[in-house]
Amino acid sequence: MKVLMFGWEFPPHISGGLGTACYGLVKGMMHQKTDVIFVVPKLWGDEEPLADFVNASSVTIDYTERRFKEIWKNLTYLEVTSFLIPYLGPEEYERFTDKSLHDRIDVDESVFAKQFSFSGKYGKDLMMEVSRYALVAAQIAKDKSHDIIHAHDWLAFPAGIAAKEISGKPLVVHVHATEYDRTGKNVNLQVYEIERSGMEAADHIIAVSQLTKNTIVSKYGIPEEKVTVIHNAVLDASIIQHGARKKVPEKIVTFLGRITYQKGPEYFIEAAAKVLKRDENVRFVMAGSGDLLHKMVNRVAELRIATKFHFTGFLKGGDVDEMFAISDVYVMPSVSEPFGISPLEAVRHNTPVIISKQSGVAEVLQNAIKVDFWDIDSMADAIFGLLHYDGISRMFREMGSNELKKLKWEQVALKVMDTYQHTLTKNV
């Protein structure tokens, strides 16, 4: 089987869990001897050769062909001035200008060029690049032989739709997050429409959790039978023996993720303040960046816990491993988390985890303490308990590491392949 897969990023150049999930899935599919044509807007040249990579920036299209004109006119153009994150979509939108058909005369002429150089970034021209990516996808679908199309998240949904229109092959869309997860009640209608259109055009949908499937059914009006839940996994289930050593005498409790509404950083800070009232021999770390960072710094100052609270900024690679290794407890208090791979990485480092009940990973990680994101009293009690009762902490470390063995990308790839077969059979 040959799969034409559209993503937006691929390791080592990632800014969220989407690229990591794509990497894991593609690597798992290698074990199934599946041919994957993986398309990204821009290749950087240092990607691990796991697939037949296609650099959308090097694809030449013939815009004069009628089919491409029709696809282009069906796409919309939106200028966005705020920063966008691919896995989570827009964290905030400062200003929207105009929404209109692409055949407007004042749209940047460069987008109509036979070859278009994508930035590979997520700035103000992202929506234009998403639309152009769809046009390139149609050209790739025309040129590359394939059996099925797989598009990851909303940035690639228009590309998947365009590829299906050209080749007539079935489309599977993979929902790693929805606009409701990203923004709560402040849903951006343009992004919502892209998501809804992708789900409706798809022949089948993969959701990363039952939580995500419930949102797809209830908020987007998609029939339940059209959605299959396939949880994410870890790249390696073995426990990491890291040589990092703490440079402070206190216990360390860590939050690692984007500092945005979805991740619930404010609840972590409020719980930290409660713990510190009971035990001052603790340091709290908030590792990451995001639109709520300054607000969180101010709140820590207001609570007068700044001497026990550290903001590291965005971490990646070895710094992430070291942070997990020196942590005594990892907390993920997400308000709405479609899945959440970071707790699994914490378990790999033998770090006990506390996760919100409002996360997809709670569906597969049984040996973790689970609390409602808003229940800061329960969160504080859980942190205090793991720090002070070694037997409880040891139990969660041992049982959590056993669970990881069931969460391999090879198994995920098998389930995805079954979904492909079911979709292909249904479309015969």
Side-chain angles (χ1 to χ4, degrees):
M1 182 183 297
K2 185 168 287 188
V3 183
L4 178 57
M5 192 175 288
F6 293 95
W8 197 263
E9 61 177 20
F10 201 85
H13 301 277
I14 62 173
S15 62
L18 176 60
T20 301
C22 288
Y23 176 86
L25 178 57
V26 171
K27 195 162 188 176
M29 293 178 80
M30 285 182 65
H31 293 272
Q32 312 306 322
K33 300 191 184 305
T34 303
D35 293 328
V36 178
I37 304 166
F38 196 93
V39 187
V40 286
K42 183 174 182 176
L43 285 177
W44 300 87
D46 53 357
E47 292 82 2
E48 190 175 337
L50 300 176
D52 176 11
F53 283 104
V54 177
N55 183 0
S57 294
S58 66
V59 175
T60 300
I61 62 171
D62 183 6
Y63 179 68
T64 61
E65 189 172 333
R66 183 182 58 82
R67 288 187 298 175
F68 289 89
K69 283 188 175 181
E70 289 304 312
I71 290 172
W72 189 252
K73 286 186 177 182
N74 287 333
L75 296 167
T76 55
Y77 174 73
L78 176 65
E79 181 184 345
V80 182
T81 58
S82 60
F83 187 76
L84 299 178
I85 301 293
Y87 182 63
L88 296 174
E91 293 176 352
E92 61 176 339
Y93 281 76
E94 296 175 355
R95 178 174 64 90
F96 293 101
T97 51
D98 185 55
K99 178 183 179 183
S100 64
L101 291 180
H102 270 305
D103 53 355
R104 263 181 44 168
I105 59 172
D106 57 341
V107 174
D108 187 349
E109 287 295 324
S110 68
V111 83
F112 296 106
K114 286 189 175 183
Q115 189 169 327
F116 180 84
S117 181
F118 290 88
S119 68
K121 304 295 183 182
Y122 311 100
K124 68 184 182 66
D125 294 325
L126 179 61
M127 287 296 188
M128 181 186 72
E129 293 202 0
V130 167
S131 298
R132 173 67 191 211
Y133 191 41
L135 196 61
V136 172
Q139 183 69 54
I140 295 168
K142 178 185 174 186
D143 295 340
K144 296 268 188 180
S145 173
H146 58 282
D147 301 300
I148 197 163
I149 303 160
H150 189 149
H152 291 277
D153 247 9
W154 70 272
L155 292 165
F157 284 0
I161 295 172
K164 178 181 177 179
E165 289 180 5
I166 287 291
S167 70
K169 301 296 184 180
L171 168 65
V172 173
V173 300
H174 205 140
V175 181
H176 297 264
T178 71
E179 181 65 2
Y180 288 90
D181 300 307
R182 293 183 285 265
T183 60
K185 297 179 181 179
N186 301 313
V187 171
N188 175 264
L189 293 179
Q190 284 84 357
V191 176
Y192 170 84
E193 283 300 322
I194 291 174
E195 291 178 330
R196 186 183 59 79
S197 297
M199 294 177 198
E200 290 181 348
D203 295 276
H204 204 76
I205 300 167
I206 296 173
V208 295
S209 64
Q210 185 63 46
L211 183 75
T212 303
K213 177 175 179 175
N214 294 342
T215 301
I216 290 170
V217 172
S218 63
K219 301 296 187 181
Y220 295 82
I222 303 298
E224 283 191 47
E225 60 273 15
K226 191 177 179 179
V227 188
T228 297
V229 175
I230 303 180
H231 295 104
N232 288 331
V234 287
L235 293 172
D236 186 347
S238 62
I239 296 299
I240 297 174
Q241 301 297 333
H242 200 286
R245 294 289 182 269
K246 286 192 292 186
K247 298 178 181 178
V248 294
E250 298 97 332
K251 297 288 183 71
I252 295 177
V253 181
T254 299
F255 168 108
L256 193 151
R258 277 172 293 274
I259 305 177
T260 63
Y261 158 82
Q262 182 193 7
K263 299 295 183 179
E266 61 266 48
Y267 303 102
F268 178 75
I269 290 173
E270 299 303 325
K274 288 180 175 291
V275 172
L276 288 168
K277 285 181 180 178
R278 299 164 68 179
D279 181 6
E280 292 186 350
N281 192 37
V282 185
R283 287 182 185 260
F284 290 83
V285 176
M286 183 165 283
S289 60
D291 60 295
L292 293 184
L293 175 59
H294 294 303
K295 183 178 179 180
M296 295 304 102
V297 171
N298 290 337
R299 182 56 181 159
V300 165
E302 289 173 0
L303 291 169
R304 298 182 181 277
I305 59 174
T307 57
K308 294 291 183 177
F309 209 101
H310 304 269
F311 294 90
T312 69
F314 180 75
L315 299 181
K316 61 181 180 179
D319 291 335
V320 173
D321 289 335
E322 183 174 352
M323 193 68 251
F324 280 134
I326 65 174
S327 298
D328 296 281
V329 177
Y330 173 72
V331 184
M332 189 185 78
S334 298
V335 173
S336 179
E337 186 74 52
F339 188 77
I341 292 177
S342 58
L344 301 181
E345 293 300 321
V347 171
R348 288 194 65 211
H349 287 81
N350 247 338
T351 304
V353 300
I354 300 169
I355 56 179
S356 75
K357 295 178 181 178
Q358 292 74 28
S359 63
V361 73
E363 298 170 17
V364 298
L365 191 58
Q366 303 306 318
N367 293 295
I369 296 179
K370 302 170 188 178
V371 299
D372 289 306
F373 71 87
W374 44 263
D375 193 347
I376 56 175
D377 290 316
S378 293
M379 195 181 303
D381 287 342
I383 293 170
F384 187 86
L386 287 173
L387 292 178
H388 289 83
Y389 299 102
D390 291 338
I392 297 175
S393 180
R394 191 184 318 113
M395 177 191 72
F396 278 111
R397 284 199 299 267
E398 292 173 357
M399 297 179 72
S401 63
N402 288 331
E403 279 193 288
L404 289 183
K405 298 171 184 176
K406 306 173 187 175
L407 301 172
K408 296 182 178 179
W409 279 108
E410 290 87 344
Q411 296 165 335
V412 173
L414 273 174
K415 294 176 182 178
V416 170
M417 291 296 296
D418 287 342
T419 301
Y420 290 164
Q421 293 290 358
H422 170 75
T423 304
L424 287 166
T425 302
K426 187 177 63 175
N427 283 270
V428 171

